[in-house]
Amino acid sequence: LGRQDYKKTRPMLRATRLKAEAKKTALGIKEVALVLASILVFLLAFYAFFYLNVSNEVDLDLDPDEN
């Protein structure tokens, strides 16, 4: 707290300090968006893996040379 705060009362100084600490520790929009994007990418990769696995098995079952 700077020199300009010498006229403030003790509770006001405490409130200012708590507000500054809360600002430092709060999650930002960027962090939340990054976490959501990473979860989405993971789910899409998981889905694509199983989709390709199932589609390859279906292609093997429909092999036209079995006749």
Side-chain angles (χ1 to χ4, degrees), residues 26-37:
L27 285 178
I29 294 175
K30 290 180 183 178
E31 288 86 4
V32 172
L34 185 63
V35 169
L36 290 177

Side-chain angles (χ1 to χ4, degrees), residues 14-61:
R14 185 177 296 139
T16 305
R17 182 172 40 94
L18 289 174
K19 188 187 283 187
E21 287 177 6
K23 217 177 210 183
K24 285 181 187 176
T25 60
L27 285 178
I29 294 175
K30 290 180 183 178
E31 288 86 4
V32 172
L34 185 63
V35 169
L36 290 177
S38 63
I39 291 172
L40 182 65
V41 167
F42 175 75
L43 288 176
L44 286 173
F46 190 75
Y47 175 77
F49 173 74
F50 281 107
Y51 177 77
L52 291 175
N53 239 1
V54 170
S55 66
N56 286 342
E57 288 177 8
V58 169
D59 288 344
L60 292 175
D61 291 342

